[in-house]
Amino acid sequence: MARINNPMEIFKLLPGSNCGECRQKTCLAFAVAVFKEQKSIRECPYVQPDVISRYGGKTEKPNTIDEDKAEAVEALKRKIPSIDLAETARRLQAEFADNHLTIKVFGKNFHVDATGALSSDIHINAWVAFPVLNYILNGSGTTPTGIWITFRELNGGPPRYAHFQQRCEKPLKRLADTYTDLFKDMLEIFDGKQNKGHIDSDVSIVLYPLPLFPIQINYWKPEEGLESSLHIHFDSASDKNLDIESIYTMCEGIVAMFEKISLRHGLK
Ligand code: SF4
């Protein structure tokens, strides 16, 4: 049975004539009803038999985001046996010993063996494993330039920028506003470094999610009726070492980690 992830995929299979014979006002309304399993695709008399047999009159429920990420991680792990880990270690300025590639993730050791098995001193979830594996498989090994740019300026960043603000910068700002130990934890737990960069913010911290992929978090405290603000900046070579999907995923993962830590400590 084919997998359908959103109503538009069903809509594309329909004639688009809005004839109403399916008892829906439009083809789009019908597509939504099929996606919600309120209707069968067979109820449109104009759908071709091959489409009906492909979809069996039903669609599979889409995966949750967690399941999608876990599947993507497994697919990346399966690619590891096809690469030369010793050569990869040289390219990424990492270590290779006893058939294990070791790289620092937030300053902690992260090991990959030739079968794709992962082990680490830190908790490995899909939000970390996905970008780390992409970095190993596809990172160019480009040395950071020291020039900080926004997400929008990264290759592939503009179409995802609004999402990035919603899912990464805004939640992290909310945490910074309420969780007073946030930046202390970034320094201590994630081996962050305070930065006196060219960006004139109240707090400026550099984290190293990966050795060649630093990020800079800048926070401006609220003052005189002005809201606080927080922005995440990236080294201008970031997109040579990590694709935009992995950069986005890593930032979502960072936010999720700090949300968990702050809840555990009861938002001081
Ligand atoms: S019967 Fe088919 S073509 Fe007509 S409105 Fe419904 S989905 Fe569209």
Side-chain angles (χ1 to χ4, degrees):
M1 195 191 307
R3 182 187 300 286
I4 292 281
N5 291 306
N6 63 64
M8 291 315 288
E9 289 177 29
I10 300 168
F11 179 66
K12 283 186 211 153
L13 304 169
L14 305 173
S17 60
N18 301 329
C19 69
E21 284 181 50
C22 60
R23 300 197 177 172
Q24 297 288 310
K25 283 188 183 152
T26 62
C27 295
L28 183 58
F30 178 73
V32 171
V34 172
F35 183 71
K36 290 180 175 171
E37 296 182 354
Q38 295 163 344
K39 290 260 179 193
S40 159
I41 200 162
R42 294 170 189 274
E43 291 176 63
C44 170
Y46 303 103
V47 170
Q48 298 302 310
D50 65 309
V51 172
I52 292 180
S53 62
R54 211 173 340 136
Y55 293 93
K58 286 196 209 170
T59 57
E60 253 184 38
K61 279 248 177 254
N63 276 357
T64 64
I65 293 172
D66 284 357
E67 287 167 342
D68 279 344
K69 276 280 174 285
E71 273 182 17
V73 167
E74 289 309 310
L76 292 174
K77 280 161 81 172
R78 287 195 290 275
K79 290 186 181 174
I80 294 289
S82 67
I83 64 168
D84 179 340
L85 285 184
E87 194 284 318
T88 302
R90 278 192 293 277
R91 172 169 45 89
L92 297 176
Q93 303 163 39
E95 286 174 27
F96 180 75
D98 300 329
N99 284 323
H100 283 75
L101 168 71
T102 301
I103 54 174
K104 297 277 184 196
V105 176
F106 292 105
K108 311 281 192 307
N109 284 336
F110 187 105
H111 314 281
V112 186
D113 74 12
T115 69
L118 313 177
S119 58
S120 174
D121 300 343
I122 60 166
H123 174 64
I124 305 171
N125 63 27
W127 268 258
V128 175
F130 178 79
V132 172
L133 286 165
N134 265 322
Y135 177 81
I136 291 169
L137 289 163
N138 306 311
S140 70
T142 304
T143 303
T145 60
I147 298 166
W148 297 104
I149 60 174
T150 65
F151 186 88
R152 198 170 18 195
E153 293 169 275
L154 294 169
N155 190 16
R160 306 205 64 167
Y161 186 56
H163 255 104
F164 172 77
Q165 284 183 302
Q166 272 315 112
R167 298 295 302 267
C168 302
E169 289 185 329
K170 280 191 182 167
L172 202 53
K173 178 189 104 65
R174 275 199 298 273
L175 270 185
D177 289 343
T178 48
Y179 178 45
T180 49
D181 280 347
L182 176 69
F183 297 114
K184 199 168 133 235
D185 283 351
M186 282 184 182
L187 292 173
E188 286 174 9
I189 306 173
F190 290 91
D191 207 22
K193 312 264 178 282
Q194 260 170 333
N195 190 33
K196 292 190 174 63
H198 66 281
I199 299 170
D200 183 23
S201 55
D202 295 315
V203 180
S204 180
I205 286 182
V206 177
L207 299 179
Y208 283 83
L210 288 159
L212 302 177
F213 175 69
I215 62 170
Q216 184 177 172
I217 298 171
N218 295 96
Y219 177 68
W220 290 261
K221 295 175 185 165
E223 58 174 314
E224 291 170 21
L226 280 178
E227 253 203 62
S228 63
S229 70
L230 184 146
H231 291 290
I232 303 174
H233 292 92
F234 301 86
D235 187 90
S236 64
S238 294
D239 49 14
K240 302 206 169 40
N241 292 318
L242 217 48
D243 63 286
I244 199 72
E245 178 71 20
S246 296
I247 292 174
Y248 179 85
T249 302
M250 180 62 95
C251 291
E252 270 191 312
I254 290 169
V255 173
M257 284 190 275
F258 282 112
E259 281 175 342
K260 231 183 213 173
I261 293 169
S262 64
L263 284 175
R264 215 182 303 142
H265 293 275
L267 280 183
K268 292 169 270 184

